[in-house]
Amino acid sequence: MTAAATMQQRGSRLTGLSDFFFRRPGALTLVLLLAPLMWIGIVYVGSLLALLLQSFYSLDDFSGLVVHKFTLSTYAQLGEPANVDIIIRTATMAACVTVTGAIIAFPIAYYAARHARGPMKAAFYLAVMMPLWSSYLVKVYAWKLILAKEGIITWLAGETHTTWLLNAILGLPTIGGPSLSFSFTGTFIVFVYIWLPYMILPTQAALERVPKSYIEASADLGAHPRQTFWTVILPLALPGIVAGSIFTFSLTLGDYIIPQIIGNSRFFIGQAVYTLQGTAGNIPLAAAFTVVPMVIMGLYLMGAKRLGAFDAL
Amino acid sequence: MTAAVSFQHVSRHFGSVRAVDDVSIDIEAGEFFAMLGPSGSGKTTCLRLIAGFEQPTAGHIEIFGETAEGLPPYKRNVNTVFQDYALFPHMTVGENVAYGLMIKGMGRAERRHKADEALAMVKLEGFGERKPGQLSGGQRQRVALARALINQPQVLLLDEPLGALDLKLREQMQEELKALQKALRITFVFVTHDQGEALSMADRVAIFNNGRIVQVGTPSEVYEHPRSRFVADFVGSSNVLSPAFSRAHGGPAAWISLRPEKIDVLWPDAKIKDDHASAEAEVTAVHYQGAMTRIVAVAGETRLTATVTAQMASGIGAGERVRLQWPLKALVTMEADE
């Protein structure tokens, strides 16, 4: 009888709800995910589709108004040499930043994952994350001072008698310029610096998941450390490197502030989009430009999948 | 004849921890050698010293007469079957098995052929194209074995290889490993904490405790003549009799090991056989274990465990007065330690 009484006490309305969800876990998942799903579905994917739609409209050259009629003429405009230049320039920059970032990030990530312990590990996380806590603009302007003609790099080159080297770099076609802060070399340096944490962290996470016994097994079977690196460590770290490269590549493709502040007057995709949708009011071409990074990323991921980057996942 | 593996006063310290402490041992060529001990006793560190993953703090190691200390793992003709198998997840089973050959630079076709042979040897024909993730624990174990054997090592090291398998599979793998070792005539060094495994498979067993080898011998030697209480306790179970109890029941005045299966359980008025000692005791617990029954009884202050057939145990329950009887020659004198 006492047992029945306790059961009764527990049977409030709220527990009734709990019981309902206990019996139907699918309903619980739905309730929990409904809000974020609507956010992603409507606000995110919806606006992306609207953007895609815009790229199939065109701008009337005389009135400056958008013609709401399906056409591929905007994409044809995208194929003009000046625009193709922008796309190639941006994609090349993104590729260089990604490759350099991966090369710089790997040893750091490897050290953190396989050797650093205790306080060293905490120091590593702090060192990698701290730049992310300060304002992006402050960092970029700080770099502008570092790279300027009157900046520390020019001074350092003078002190170490390597001004000739700096001048040789600045004298190179395309990547050179009057000073580092007005050259693509400068843009490149700042891009690599800004996106490096996004490359280090996934690479480190991937390396952390490689058990020590794999490396020992490889050595046990006769592999020199270099062979172990190429056949075991790198393939298993590849999903992490690819994840990091997705960040660095797409962030570089879309950024319009760094090339604005550091670099010369030649446009990157982000700047083109910014100008086209603002001053020029050419929303269709801006939309078409925005589709380009998405297509490039799609192709990149397909290539990575074909190369087996995700096999170890 | 040179020993397959020879340890001369080998120590491996990690800071203040003496994982391996002044170990000297010779493992003969072609021998199935087991290193047995509780976890943290130094047996795995010894194995890692042979493989080359660890370097000795002091002492000298030889593998087939060649100095091993300072030699990295990839320069030793020794291969290991890892406890977690350590199969590379991004390679197929065939690629895993052929890994050692690929490293040596053997051509693709020949490599494949040899890998198929090695897989056939461990009864996994046709599994070459699968990924390790698609295999069961027992199959992975066989792949790890094939991968380690394809390099034709002089010594094969096995680090608790059967630990993760269920009982039936473990017994089957024990037989297969033993047969494989006989056929290949390779020296096997096997690390385990399972005394049953060590006794049933090994030609010789070394028992480890606190970084030292406390006894080496054939399985029957270490089982029948444990030199210390630790060995008596760890290898099988044993009744440890104090010098006083032993002397009072016709034995020598020393610490004695008496195996439970040597003790008969009789009714108090039963006649005692010649050359046997006996003690009256009260049964405190009866554990039915299928083929055998374990009876725990107390004689004065001394707790004794007897393992008897179900037939002999019939009718005996807790609280019963019984007479325990054992042959005097079953008493094994031990060094007083601990």
Side-chain angles (χ1 to χ4, degrees):
Chain A
M1 211 209 91
T2 37
T6 341
M7 291 281 277
Q8 209 100 60
Q9 267 176 2
R10 282 211 199 141
S12 75
R13 199 165 300 168
L14 258 175
T15 52
L17 197 63
S18 303
D19 293 351
F20 173 78
F21 282 134
F22 180 80
R23 284 192 298 269
R24 291 178 187 75
L28 180 65
T29 316
L30 185 72
V31 168
L32 287 174
L33 285 182
L34 201 60
L37 274 180
M38 279 170 66
W39 172 263
I40 290 180
I42 297 168
V43 180
Y44 204 77
V45 178
S47 51
L48 214 60
L49 287 176
L51 183 84
L52 195 66
L53 199 65
Q54 289 279 343
S55 69
F56 290 107
Y57 295 153
S58 61
L59 191 79
D60 188 295
D61 282 337
F62 294 107
S63 62
L65 291 174
V66 176
V67 182
H68 295 270
K69 227 175 75 183
F70 181 86
T71 171
L72 288 173
S73 68
T74 308
Y75 280 102
Q77 218 182 327
L78 196 65
E80 284 168 12
N83 292 337
V84 170
D85 262 3
I86 294 177
I87 292 168
I88 290 175
R89 183 178 305 130
T90 312
T92 309
M93 177 63 82
C96 291
V97 167
T98 298
V99 171
T100 312
I103 291 170
I104 296 175
F106 195 89
I108 301 173
Y110 188 86
Y111 172 78
R114 306 220 71 93
H115 297 290
R117 290 285 169 271
M120 268 316 288
K121 196 135 184 161
F124 158 80
Y125 276 112
L126 266 180
V128 173
M129 305 282 278
M130 202 131 71
L132 297 177
W133 301 346
S134 63
S135 159
Y136 166 92
L137 272 181
V138 169
K139 284 183 288 178
V140 176
Y141 275 108
W143 270 103
K144 189 164 181 76
L145 292 180
I146 292 170
L147 298 172
K149 208 170 188 70
E150 306 78 20
I152 190 169
I153 289 186
T154 313
W155 173 79
L156 208 64
E159 292 293 305
T160 56
H161 305 288
T162 48
T163 309
W164 59 272
L165 184 65
L166 185 63
N167 288 335
I169 293 168
L170 290 176
L172 290 171
T174 317
I175 67 166
S179 80
L180 279 176
S181 64
F182 286 99
S183 68
F184 285 147
T185 309
T187 323
F188 165 78
I189 290 171
V190 179
F191 267 135
V192 170
Y193 167 81
I194 295 276
W195 305 140
L196 198 58
Y198 298 98
M199 183 60 101
I200 294 176
L201 292 175
T203 306
Q204 186 236 358
L207 283 169
E208 207 126 319
R209 284 197 300 269
V210 180
K212 197 172 150 209
S213 65
Y214 289 2
I215 293 162
E216 286 179 348
S218 175
D220 188 72
L221 293 164
H224 295 253
R226 196 155 45 112
Q227 290 171 311
T228 300
F229 174 82
W230 287 111
T231 56
V232 177
I233 298 172
L234 193 64
L236 290 174
L238 207 57
I241 298 173
V242 170
S245 71
I246 292 169
F247 286 123
T248 58
F249 200 73
S250 61
L251 287 169
T252 311
L253 281 182
D255 194 87
Y256 68 99
I257 296 176
I258 291 172
Q260 184 108 334
I261 298 170
I262 292 160
N264 55 36
S265 55
R266 277 170 292 183
F267 270 8
F268 282 77
I269 289 179
Q271 291 165 287
V273 171
Y274 182 75
T275 319
L276 283 171
Q277 63 85 35
T279 346
N282 192 346
I283 297 284
L285 188 57
F289 257 119
T290 317
V291 171
V292 172
M294 291 196 276
V295 171
I296 293 176
M297 284 315 294
L299 291 175
Y300 175 71
L301 288 181
M302 270 161 58
K305 188 170 164 24
R306 187 161 295 182
L307 285 175
F310 307 114
D311 285 5
L313 284 182
Chain B
M1 201 174 77
T2 40
V5 178
S6 172
F7 273 39
Q8 287 155 30
H9 301 287
V10 171
S11 293
R12 177 70 175 105
H13 300 170
F14 298 99
S16 62
V17 180
R18 296 170 168 220
V20 172
D21 194 13
D22 192 25
V23 164
S24 296
I25 193 167
D26 281 330
I27 298 170
E28 305 300 332
E31 192 173 28
F32 199 130
F33 192 86
M35 293 180 172
L36 175 65
S39 54
S41 61
K43 57 192 192 306
T44 299
T45 309
C46 270
L47 197 80
R48 293 172 62 80
L49 283 165
I50 304 173
F53 304 136
E54 303 285 349
Q55 296 292 336
T57 313
H60 178 60
I61 301 173
E62 278 179 13
I63 299 172
F64 281 96
E66 242 180 279
T67 299
E69 60 261 25
L71 219 56
Y74 49 85
K75 286 190 180 153
R76 300 183 183 206
N77 197 3
V78 167
N79 287 118
T80 308
V81 175
F82 288 81
Q83 188 170 13
D84 62 354
Y85 313 141
L87 301 178
F88 305 129
H90 58 297
M91 299 179 194
T92 63
V93 166
E95 286 167 345
N96 262 287
V97 172
Y99 186 79
L101 305 177
M102 183 197 76
I103 290 298
K104 280 184 192 158
M106 187 183 280
R108 189 178 288 270
E110 198 182 349
R111 216 155 76 201
R112 207 191 175 91
H113 178 68
K114 294 236 173 185
D116 286 344
E117 270 180 14
L119 282 172
M121 181 178 67
V122 294
K123 299 178 188 152
L124 280 178
E125 294 101 332
F127 280 71
E129 295 305 315
R130 299 201 196 176
K131 282 285 175 79
Q134 297 166 301
L135 303 185
S136 70
Q139 291 167 336
R140 273 183 232 181
Q141 149 94 78
R142 287 157 194 263
V143 176
L145 198 59
R147 184 177 72 171
L149 286 170
I150 206 162
N151 278 358
Q152 297 175 312
Q154 288 175 299
V155 181
L156 184 75
L157 309 174
L158 302 109
D159 186 6
E160 307 238 4
L162 309 180
L165 306 180
D166 58 48
L167 184 64
K168 270 266 178 274
L169 205 53
R170 201 151 66 209
E171 285 172 349
Q172 188 191 341
M173 278 309 291
Q174 284 180 12
E175 272 174 43
E176 284 183 25
L177 272 179
K178 188 74 194 150
L180 205 57
Q181 194 262 342
K182 275 229 173 75
L184 297 172
R185 297 162 177 277
I186 293 174
T187 312
F188 275 33
V189 181
F190 185 94
V191 158
T192 180
H193 64 268
D194 182 331
Q195 43 102 9
E197 216 163 86
L199 295 183
S200 70
M201 293 166 78
D203 297 324
R204 278 199 306 157
V205 182
I207 292 143
F208 280 74
N209 190 28
N210 293 328
R212 288 168 174 272
I213 292 180
V214 289
Q215 191 169 352
V216 187
T218 63
S220 70
E221 273 168 19
V222 294
Y223 187 80
E224 301 289 346
H225 301 285
R227 208 185 288 152
S228 64
R229 283 172 69 179
F230 174 81
V231 177
D233 248 2
F234 194 79
V235 183
S237 57
S238 188
N239 294 296
V240 174
L241 310 181
S242 70
F245 182 92
S246 167
R247 200 174 45 207
H249 294 86
W255 287 98
I256 295 293
S257 158
L258 178 60
R259 295 292 181 191
E261 67 273 17
K262 307 279 189 194
I263 300 179
D264 294 331
V265 180
L266 311 167
W267 295 111
D269 53 357
K271 195 171 172 295
I272 302 304
K273 286 193 232 165
D274 290 344
D275 301 324
H276 279 58
S278 78
E280 229 182 271
E282 189 187 323
V283 174
T284 55
V286 176
H287 301 286
Y288 178 72
Q289 290 172 335
M292 303 298 274
T293 301
R294 200 158 63 89
I295 294 175
V296 185
V298 176
E301 297 282 278
T302 307
R303 225 177 78 106
L304 290 163
T305 305
T307 315
V308 297
T309 58
Q311 193 191 354
M312 196 188 268
S314 66
I316 295 172
E320 207 90 50
R321 297 295 299 178
V322 293
R323 179 160 289 277
L324 304 176
Q325 163 193 278
W326 59 88
L328 283 169
K329 64 178 198 301
L331 300 176
V332 178
T333 310
M334 299 180 299
E335 294 159 14
D337 67 349
E338 288 130 304

